[in-house]
mmCIF file of all heavy atoms in Angstrom:
data_model
loop_
_atom_site.group_PDB
_atom_site.id
_atom_site.type_symbol
_atom_site.label_atom_id
_atom_site.label_comp_id
_atom_site.label_asym_id
_atom_site.label_seq_id
_atom_site.Cartn_x
_atom_site.Cartn_y
_atom_site.Cartn_z
ATOM 1 N N GLU A 219 86.108 59.817 -26.628
ATOM 2 C CA GLU A 219 85.267 58.632 -26.564
ATOM 3 C C GLU A 219 85.369 58.073 -25.153
ATOM 4 O O GLU A 219 86.405 58.183 -24.497
ATOM 5 C CB GLU A 219 85.717 57.570 -27.572
ATOM 6 C CG GLU A 219 85.564 57.978 -29.036
ATOM 7 C CD GLU A 219 86.004 56.874 -29.965
ATOM 8 O OE1 GLU A 219 86.449 55.822 -29.464
ATOM 9 O OE2 GLU A 219 85.909 57.076 -31.194
ATOM 10 N N HIS A 220 84.291 57.436 -24.697
ATOM 11 C CA HIS A 220 84.343 56.813 -23.379
ATOM 12 C C HIS A 220 85.292 55.625 -23.420
ATOM 13 O O HIS A 220 85.189 54.758 -24.286
ATOM 14 C CB HIS A 220 82.951 56.327 -22.956
ATOM 15 C CG HIS A 220 82.058 57.429 -22.461
ATOM 16 N ND1 HIS A 220 82.349 58.149 -21.326
ATOM 17 C CD2 HIS A 220 80.893 57.927 -22.945
ATOM 18 C CE1 HIS A 220 81.390 59.051 -21.128
ATOM 19 N NE2 HIS A 220 80.507 58.937 -22.090
ATOM 20 N N SER A 221 86.213 55.578 -22.484
ATOM 21 C CA SER A 221 87.168 54.473 -22.445
ATOM 22 C C SER A 221 86.515 53.179 -22.005
ATOM 23 O O SER A 221 87.038 52.094 -22.234
ATOM 24 C CB SER A 221 88.333 54.813 -21.499
ATOM 25 O OG SER A 221 87.860 55.035 -20.182
ATOM 26 N N ASP A 222 85.344 53.274 -21.353
ATOM 27 C CA ASP A 222 84.675 52.072 -20.855
ATOM 28 C C ASP A 222 83.372 51.785 -21.599
ATOM 29 O O ASP A 222 82.572 50.975 -21.156
ATOM 30 C CB ASP A 222 84.384 52.209 -19.361
ATOM 31 C CG ASP A 222 83.572 53.461 -19.049
ATOM 32 O OD1 ASP A 222 83.130 54.135 -20.002
ATOM 33 O OD2 ASP A 222 83.378 53.761 -17.861
ATOM 34 N N GLN A 223 83.166 52.486 -22.739
ATOM 35 C CA GLN A 223 81.961 52.266 -23.538
ATOM 36 C C GLN A 223 80.688 52.462 -22.729
ATOM 37 O O GLN A 223 79.728 51.724 -22.847
ATOM 38 C CB GLN A 223 81.970 50.854 -24.159
ATOM 39 C CG GLN A 223 83.171 50.568 -25.031
ATOM 40 C CD GLN A 223 83.241 51.511 -26.225
ATOM 41 O OE1 GLN A 223 82.255 51.716 -26.916
ATOM 42 N NE2 GLN A 223 84.407 52.089 -26.454
ATOM 43 N N ARG A 224 80.656 53.455 -21.901
ATOM 44 C CA ARG A 224 79.488 53.735 -21.066
ATOM 45 C C ARG A 224 78.281 54.117 -21.916
ATOM 46 O O ARG A 224 78.282 55.125 -22.605
ATOM 47 C CB ARG A 224 79.791 54.870 -20.096
ATOM 48 C CG ARG A 224 78.615 55.207 -19.186
ATOM 49 C CD ARG A 224 78.871 56.516 -18.458
ATOM 50 N NE ARG A 224 77.785 56.806 -17.546
ATOM 51 C CZ ARG A 224 77.620 57.966 -16.938
ATOM 52 N NH1 ARG A 224 78.481 58.937 -17.145
ATOM 53 N NH2 ARG A 224 76.612 58.172 -16.123
ATOM 54 N N ASP A 225 77.255 53.304 -21.879
ATOM 55 C CA ASP A 225 76.011 53.561 -22.601
ATOM 56 C C ASP A 225 76.326 54.015 -24.024
ATOM 57 O O ASP A 225 77.193 53.496 -24.683
ATOM 58 C CB ASP A 225 75.163 54.616 -21.870
ATOM 59 C CG ASP A 225 74.835 54.171 -20.457
ATOM 60 O OD1 ASP A 225 74.612 52.974 -20.269
ATOM 61 O OD2 ASP A 225 74.798 55.027 -19.566
ATOM 62 N N ASN A 226 75.569 55.002 -24.494
ATOM 63 C CA ASN A 226 75.819 55.589 -25.804
ATOM 64 C C ASN A 226 76.039 57.094 -25.696
ATOM 65 O O ASN A 226 75.824 57.820 -26.654
ATOM 66 C CB ASN A 226 74.638 55.305 -26.745
ATOM 67 C CG ASN A 226 74.506 53.823 -27.073
ATOM 68 O OD1 ASN A 226 75.492 53.181 -27.411
ATOM 69 N ND2 ASN A 226 73.299 53.297 -26.956
ATOM 70 N N ASP A 227 76.417 57.537 -24.512
ATOM 71 C CA ASP A 227 76.625 58.967 -24.300
ATOM 72 C C ASP A 227 77.700 59.482 -25.249
ATOM 73 O O ASP A 227 78.748 58.868 -25.428
ATOM 74 C CB ASP A 227 77.058 59.242 -22.858
ATOM 75 C CG ASP A 227 75.946 58.964 -21.867
ATOM 76 O OD1 ASP A 227 74.800 58.822 -22.316
ATOM 77 O OD2 ASP A 227 76.241 58.886 -20.661
ATOM 78 N N LYS A 228 77.439 60.616 -25.855
ATOM 79 C CA LYS A 228 78.387 61.224 -26.771
ATOM 80 C C LYS A 228 79.213 62.262 -26.037
ATOM 81 O O LYS A 228 78.685 63.082 -25.296
ATOM 82 C CB LYS A 228 77.641 61.882 -27.941
ATOM 83 C CG LYS A 228 78.564 62.458 -29.003
ATOM 84 C CD LYS A 228 77.763 63.058 -30.137
ATOM 85 C CE LYS A 228 78.680 63.642 -31.208
ATOM 86 N NZ LYS A 228 77.912 64.264 -32.309
ATOM 87 N N LEU A 229 80.518 62.200 -26.260
ATOM 88 C CA LEU A 229 81.417 63.168 -25.646
ATOM 89 C C LEU A 229 81.860 64.179 -26.687
ATOM 90 O O LEU A 229 82.165 63.827 -27.829
ATOM 91 C CB LEU A 229 82.652 62.463 -25.065
ATOM 92 C CG LEU A 229 82.405 61.534 -23.882
ATOM 93 C CD1 LEU A 229 83.696 60.822 -23.515
ATOM 94 C CD2 LEU A 229 81.874 62.300 -22.696
ATOM 95 N N GLU A 230 81.885 65.448 -26.308
ATOM 96 C CA GLU A 230 82.295 66.519 -27.207
ATOM 97 C C GLU A 230 83.171 67.500 -26.443
ATOM 98 O O GLU A 230 83.004 67.683 -25.230
ATOM 99 C CB GLU A 230 81.075 67.266 -27.748
ATOM 100 C CG GLU A 230 80.099 66.401 -28.516
ATOM 101 C CD GLU A 230 78.839 67.164 -28.892
ATOM 102 O OE1 GLU A 230 78.255 67.831 -28.004
ATOM 103 O OE2 GLU A 230 78.463 67.100 -30.065
ATOM 104 N N SER A 231 84.094 68.126 -27.159
ATOM 105 C CA SER A 231 84.958 69.113 -26.508
ATOM 106 C C SER A 231 84.142 70.278 -25.956
ATOM 107 O O SER A 231 84.557 70.943 -24.999
ATOM 108 C CB SER A 231 86.011 69.628 -27.497
ATOM 109 O OG SER A 231 85.407 70.233 -28.624
ATOM 110 N N GLU A 232 82.946 70.512 -26.547
ATOM 111 C CA GLU A 232 82.083 71.598 -26.070
ATOM 112 C C GLU A 232 81.541 71.353 -24.668
ATOM 113 O O GLU A 232 80.951 72.247 -24.046
ATOM 114 C CB GLU A 232 80.907 71.805 -27.027
ATOM 115 C CG GLU A 232 81.283 72.443 -28.355
ATOM 116 C CD GLU A 232 81.921 71.474 -29.333
ATOM 117 O OE1 GLU A 232 81.960 70.258 -29.030
ATOM 118 O OE2 GLU A 232 82.393 71.926 -30.393
ATOM 119 N N MET A 233 81.745 70.156 -24.129
ATOM 120 C CA MET A 233 81.308 69.863 -22.771
ATOM 121 C C MET A 233 82.180 70.585 -21.736
ATOM 122 O O MET A 233 81.815 70.657 -20.562
ATOM 123 C CB MET A 233 81.346 68.348 -22.523
ATOM 124 C CG MET A 233 80.331 67.577 -23.345
ATOM 125 S SD MET A 233 80.564 65.790 -23.257
ATOM 126 C CE MET A 233 80.299 65.475 -21.522
ATOM 127 N N LEU A 234 83.302 71.111 -22.171
ATOM 128 C CA LEU A 234 84.152 71.894 -21.270
ATOM 129 C C LEU A 234 83.373 73.093 -20.734
ATOM 130 O O LEU A 234 82.683 73.783 -21.495
ATOM 131 C CB LEU A 234 85.381 72.388 -22.041
ATOM 132 C CG LEU A 234 86.476 73.063 -21.218
ATOM 133 C CD1 LEU A 234 87.416 72.006 -20.665
ATOM 134 C CD2 LEU A 234 87.259 74.041 -22.087
ATOM 135 N N SER A 235 83.464 73.355 -19.451
ATOM 136 C CA SER A 235 82.695 74.454 -18.860
ATOM 137 C C SER A 235 83.085 75.800 -19.446
ATOM 138 O O SER A 235 82.244 76.672 -19.631
ATOM 139 C CB SER A 235 82.858 74.461 -17.336
ATOM 140 O OG SER A 235 84.228 74.500 -16.985
ATOM 141 N N GLY A 236 84.361 76.001 -19.736
ATOM 142 C CA GLY A 236 84.782 77.185 -20.467
ATOM 143 C C GLY A 236 85.186 78.378 -19.622
ATOM 144 O O GLY A 236 85.014 78.414 -18.402
ATOM 145 N N HIS A 237 85.703 79.382 -20.324
ATOM 146 C CA HIS A 237 86.324 80.553 -19.725
ATOM 147 C C HIS A 237 85.394 81.337 -18.809
ATOM 148 O O HIS A 237 85.684 81.537 -17.624
ATOM 149 C CB HIS A 237 86.842 81.417 -20.876
ATOM 150 C CG HIS A 237 87.293 82.783 -20.494
ATOM 151 N ND1 HIS A 237 87.734 83.692 -21.407
ATOM 152 C CD2 HIS A 237 87.369 83.431 -19.305
ATOM 153 C CE1 HIS A 237 88.078 84.813 -20.814
ATOM 154 N NE2 HIS A 237 87.847 84.691 -19.532
ATOM 155 N N ALA A 238 84.247 81.799 -19.325
ATOM 156 C CA ALA A 238 83.364 82.643 -18.516
ATOM 157 C C ALA A 238 82.805 81.879 -17.324
ATOM 158 O O ALA A 238 82.737 82.409 -16.210
ATOM 159 C CB ALA A 238 82.228 83.197 -19.376
ATOM 160 N N ALA A 239 82.403 80.623 -17.549
ATOM 161 C CA ALA A 239 81.887 79.814 -16.444
ATOM 162 C C ALA A 239 82.976 79.546 -15.420
ATOM 163 O O ALA A 239 82.727 79.551 -14.202
ATOM 164 C CB ALA A 239 81.322 78.503 -16.974
ATOM 165 N N GLY A 240 84.199 79.318 -15.895
ATOM 166 C CA GLY A 240 85.315 79.109 -14.974
ATOM 167 C C GLY A 240 85.576 80.331 -14.115
ATOM 168 O O GLY A 240 85.817 80.228 -12.899
ATOM 169 N N ARG A 241 85.508 81.515 -14.711
ATOM 170 C CA ARG A 241 85.694 82.747 -13.944
ATOM 171 C C ARG A 241 84.552 82.967 -12.950
ATOM 172 O O ARG A 241 84.758 83.467 -11.841
ATOM 173 C CB ARG A 241 85.810 83.944 -14.882
ATOM 174 C CG ARG A 241 87.199 84.193 -15.392
ATOM 175 C CD ARG A 241 88.157 84.520 -14.260
ATOM 176 N NE ARG A 241 89.517 84.733 -14.742
ATOM 177 C CZ ARG A 241 90.557 84.873 -13.946
ATOM 178 N NH1 ARG A 241 90.412 84.816 -12.636
ATOM 179 N NH2 ARG A 241 91.765 85.063 -14.445
ATOM 180 N N LEU A 242 83.350 82.582 -13.349
ATOM 181 C CA LEU A 242 82.229 82.692 -12.418
ATOM 182 C C LEU A 242 82.464 81.792 -11.207
ATOM 183 O O LEU A 242 82.237 82.202 -10.058
ATOM 184 C CB LEU A 242 80.926 82.304 -13.114
ATOM 185 C CG LEU A 242 79.675 82.283 -12.223
ATOM 186 C CD1 LEU A 242 79.381 83.676 -11.667
ATOM 187 C CD2 LEU A 242 78.469 81.764 -13.004
ATOM 188 N N LEU A 243 82.920 80.572 -11.440
ATOM 189 C CA LEU A 243 83.217 79.670 -10.330
ATOM 190 C C LEU A 243 84.299 80.257 -9.426
ATOM 191 O O LEU A 243 84.195 80.202 -8.191
ATOM 192 C CB LEU A 243 83.655 78.303 -10.862
ATOM 193 C CG LEU A 243 82.561 77.437 -11.481
ATOM 194 C CD1 LEU A 243 83.177 76.201 -12.137
ATOM 195 C CD2 LEU A 243 81.542 77.019 -10.430
ATOM 196 N N GLN A 244 85.329 80.818 -10.022
ATOM 197 C CA GLN A 244 86.391 81.419 -9.218
ATOM 198 C C GLN A 244 85.859 82.604 -8.410
ATOM 199 O O GLN A 244 86.236 82.791 -7.248
ATOM 200 C CB GLN A 244 87.534 81.866 -10.127
ATOM 201 C CG GLN A 244 88.279 80.700 -10.763
ATOM 202 C CD GLN A 244 89.454 81.145 -11.587
ATOM 203 O OE1 GLN A 244 89.449 82.240 -12.171
ATOM 204 N NE2 GLN A 244 90.491 80.322 -11.656
ATOM 205 N N PHE A 245 84.989 83.383 -9.008
ATOM 206 C CA PHE A 245 84.383 84.521 -8.316
ATOM 207 C C PHE A 245 83.595 84.027 -7.110
ATOM 208 O O PHE A 245 83.671 84.610 -6.011
ATOM 209 C CB PHE A 245 83.471 85.268 -9.291
ATOM 210 C CG PHE A 245 83.108 86.655 -8.859
ATOM 211 C CD1 PHE A 245 83.844 87.743 -9.290
ATOM 212 C CD2 PHE A 245 82.030 86.878 -8.010
ATOM 213 C CE1 PHE A 245 83.515 89.036 -8.892
ATOM 214 C CE2 PHE A 245 81.695 88.157 -7.605
ATOM 215 C CZ PHE A 245 82.436 89.240 -8.045
ATOM 216 N N LEU A 246 82.832 82.938 -7.284
ATOM 217 C CA LEU A 246 82.035 82.390 -6.181
ATOM 218 C C LEU A 246 82.938 81.854 -5.074
ATOM 219 O O LEU A 246 82.679 82.078 -3.886
ATOM 220 C CB LEU A 246 81.130 81.268 -6.697
ATOM 221 C CG LEU A 246 79.983 81.689 -7.611
ATOM 222 C CD1 LEU A 246 79.307 80.460 -8.198
ATOM 223 C CD2 LEU A 246 78.973 82.538 -6.852
#
Side-chain angles (χ1 to χ4, degrees):
E219 295 181 358
H220 282 296
S221 60
D222 56 7
Q223 302 298 312
R224 180 192 183 191
D225 302 323
N226 293 313
D227 292 346
K228 184 179 180 181
L229 293 175
E230 301 174 312
S231 60
E232 288 78 7
M233 293 170 62
L234 188 86
S235 55
H237 169 183
R241 274 297 179 188
L242 176 63
L243 288 172
Q244 292 184 329
F245 197 94
L246 291 172

